[in-house]
């Protein structure tokens, strides 16, 4: 009964380092999303995917790349981390478009960039 | 693009008090509206949603929300809060159709004193 699993849970990076956040869902959902949550800013969409092999930009895509090589996984990459990317990152999935099914969220990854 | 305003950043109530959290979205037409909740240490989960029909929507744990089209509002209510309702509450609206972005408000933190 895992749902949406994010790894790692915590990470500290130095400016300029790279890393990949992994999101895995076991619900056979078509749609997957990456959000960041910052104090006083709510949740903002970084990138999303409407199916295996597809990705699209969200509201704040700069500095991030994503890949959806397998239906169950959605990877978020930071090629050269910046302090402005310090945030809590949430992955979510849904079985259909947002108008037809709710989002299922992971527990988040807390990233600090020094 | 749509935007969502949540007017209260932090609400503090005593147990048994009534709750109303404000949520306004920026423009009309057909809207899909959501309230999500994040309990301490847990992931975001759907509280309730409005797509069409009865503007008074009932969700989990005794919460309800009323869609008032003329006021562009979707306020969340609960007649009598409990300590276990302490959480962050986020209002969201779909922007741009069923595959579009889900726009979140900045969230309201609710603290319930026992």
């Amino acid at each position: 009964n895992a749902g949406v699993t994010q790894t790692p849970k915590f990470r500290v990076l130095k400016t300029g380092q790279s890393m990949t956040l992994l999101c895995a869902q076991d619900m056979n959902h078509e749609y997957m999303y990456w959000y960041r949550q910052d104090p006083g800013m709510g949740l903002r969409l970084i990138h999303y995917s409407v199916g295996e092999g597809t990705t699209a930009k969200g509201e704040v895509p700069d500095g991030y790349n994503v890949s959806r090589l397998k239906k169950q996984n959605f990877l978020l990459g930071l090629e050269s981390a910046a302090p402005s990317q310090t945030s809590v990152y949430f992955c979510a999935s849904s079985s259909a478009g947002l108008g037809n099914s709710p989002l299922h969220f992971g527990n988040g990854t807390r990233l600090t960039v020094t | 693009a749509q935007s969502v305003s949540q007017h209260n950043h932090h609400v503090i109530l005593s147990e048994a008090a009534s709750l109303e959290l404000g949520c306004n979205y920026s423009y009309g037409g057909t809207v899909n509206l959501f309230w999500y909740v994040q309990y301490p240490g847990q992931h975001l989960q759907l509280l309730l949603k409005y797509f069409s029909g009865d503007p008074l929507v009932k969700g989990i744990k005794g919460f309800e929300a009323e869609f008032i089209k003329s006021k562009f509002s979707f306020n969340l209510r609960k007649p009598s809060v409990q300590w276990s309702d302490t959480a962050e509450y986020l209002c969201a609206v779909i922007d741009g159709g069923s595959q579009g972005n889900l726009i979140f408000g900045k969230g309201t933190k609710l603290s319930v004193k026992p």
Side-chain angles (χ1 to χ4, degrees):
Chain A
N1 207 21
V4 178
T5 304
Q6 291 181 232
T7 53
K9 290 184 171 58
F10 304 94
R11 186 73 187 268
V12 178
L13 288 179
K14 293 185 178 179
T15 298
Q17 287 185 317
S18 64
M19 78 162 294
T20 300
L21 282 66
L22 171 64
C23 176
Q25 53 94 4
D26 61 2
M27 297 172 283
N28 202 35
H29 285 172
E30 289 292 335
Y31 297 74
M32 297 187 75
Y33 312 83
W34 274 107
Y35 287 89
R36 59 179 289 174
Q37 185 179 35
D38 302 293
M41 300 292 288
L43 280 158
R44 293 180 293 169
L45 183 66
I46 305 171
H47 286 279
Y48 65 100
S49 168
V50 300
E52 181 179 320
T54 74
T55 63
K57 293 181 180 180
E59 184 184 354
V60 288
D62 294 341
Y64 305 95
N65 56 74
V66 288
S67 64
R68 184 98 183 267
L69 298 179
K70 293 183 179 180
K71 186 177 183 179
Q72 63 267 34
N73 295 337
F74 194 31
L75 306 179
L76 178 71
L78 286 74
E79 290 186 349
S80 179
S84 61
Q85 293 178 304
T86 294
S87 187
V88 181
Y89 292 86
F90 287 98
C91 177
S93 70
S94 62
S95 58
L98 291 172
N100 299 305
S101 63
L103 295 177
H104 296 258
F105 283 88
N107 285 336
T109 296
R110 186 173 294 276
L111 174 65
T112 302
V113 183
T114 61
Chain B
Q2 276 279 10
S3 64
V4 177
S5 298
Q6 290 184 245
H7 314 295
N8 309 104
H9 177 61
H10 190 187
V11 173
I12 303 172
L13 295 173
S14 298
E15 277 194 314
S18 64
L19 170 72
E20 181 160 3
L21 301 181
C23 172
N24 288 91
Y25 57 96
S26 56
Y27 64 84
T30 302
V31 286
N32 295 337
L33 295 152
F34 306 79
W35 275 98
Y36 280 84
V37 60
Q38 187 175 22
Y39 297 103
Q42 297 186 27
H43 59 268
L44 278 152
Q45 56 186 291
L46 182 67
L47 200 55
L48 50 77
K49 61 186 179 185
Y50 171 80
F51 287 173
S52 63
D54 189 342
L56 186 61
V57 179
K58 295 194 184 298
I60 60 172
K61 303 187 180 185
F63 285 91
E64 64 180 30
E66 185 174 12
F67 169 59
I68 302 179
K69 190 173 183 178
S70 61
K71 295 185 178 180
F72 298 88
S73 70
F74 189 56
N75 292 353
L76 181 70
R77 300 195 294 246
K78 187 172 183 178
S80 176
V81 295
Q82 301 171 319
W83 177 79
S84 58
D85 293 325
T86 295
E88 178 135 21
Y89 293 83
L90 292 101
C91 182
V93 61
I94 289 178
D95 183 32
S98 64
Q99 291 190 44
N101 194 3
L102 187 63
I103 306 293
F104 284 87
K106 294 181 179 180
T108 298
K109 182 179 178 180
L110 172 66
S111 299
V112 181
K113 298 184 291 185

mmCIF file of all heavy atoms in Angstrom, chain A residues 48 58 62 66 104:
data_model
loop_
_atom_site.group_PDB
_atom_site.id
_atom_site.type_symbol
_atom_site.label_atom_id
_atom_site.label_comp_id
_atom_site.label_asym_id
_atom_site.label_seq_id
_atom_site.Cartn_x
_atom_site.Cartn_y
_atom_site.Cartn_z
ATOM 1 N N TYR A 48 5.375 18.477 -15.137
ATOM 2 C CA TYR A 48 4.424 17.384 -15.000
ATOM 3 C C TYR A 48 4.505 16.468 -16.215
ATOM 4 O O TYR A 48 5.171 16.793 -17.213
ATOM 5 C CB TYR A 48 2.993 17.898 -14.779
ATOM 6 C CG TYR A 48 2.391 18.661 -15.928
ATOM 7 C CD1 TYR A 48 1.493 18.051 -16.806
ATOM 8 C CD2 TYR A 48 2.670 20.018 -16.108
ATOM 9 C CE1 TYR A 48 0.914 18.764 -17.849
ATOM 10 C CE2 TYR A 48 2.110 20.728 -17.145
ATOM 11 C CZ TYR A 48 1.228 20.109 -18.003
ATOM 12 O OH TYR A 48 0.656 20.824 -19.038
ATOM 13 N N GLY A 58 5.788 23.351 -15.983
ATOM 14 C CA GLY A 58 4.771 23.946 -15.138
ATOM 15 C C GLY A 58 5.029 25.423 -14.934
ATOM 16 O O GLY A 58 5.526 26.112 -15.821
ATOM 17 N N ASP A 62 12.389 26.552 -14.452
ATOM 18 C CA ASP A 62 13.792 26.903 -14.683
ATOM 19 C C ASP A 62 14.706 26.295 -13.622
ATOM 20 O O ASP A 62 14.459 26.402 -12.428
ATOM 21 C CB ASP A 62 13.958 28.428 -14.709
ATOM 22 C CG ASP A 62 13.244 29.052 -15.890
ATOM 23 O OD1 ASP A 62 12.950 28.320 -16.861
ATOM 24 O OD2 ASP A 62 12.976 30.265 -15.853
ATOM 25 N N VAL A 66 13.317 16.965 -16.009
ATOM 26 C CA VAL A 66 12.564 15.791 -15.576
ATOM 27 C C VAL A 66 12.628 14.721 -16.645
ATOM 28 O O VAL A 66 12.913 14.997 -17.811
ATOM 29 C CB VAL A 66 11.080 16.109 -15.282
ATOM 30 C CG1 VAL A 66 10.925 16.916 -14.004
ATOM 31 C CG2 VAL A 66 10.433 16.822 -16.459
ATOM 32 N N HIS A 104 -2.573 12.314 -5.580
ATOM 33 C CA HIS A 104 -2.025 11.551 -4.464
ATOM 34 C C HIS A 104 -0.591 12.012 -4.280
ATOM 35 O O HIS A 104 0.213 11.933 -5.213
ATOM 36 C CB HIS A 104 -2.068 10.053 -4.768
ATOM 37 C CG HIS A 104 -3.453 9.523 -4.924
ATOM 38 N ND1 HIS A 104 -4.094 8.817 -3.916
ATOM 39 C CD2 HIS A 104 -4.336 9.596 -5.944
ATOM 40 C CE1 HIS A 104 -5.302 8.477 -4.329
ATOM 41 N NE2 HIS A 104 -5.480 8.935 -5.541
#
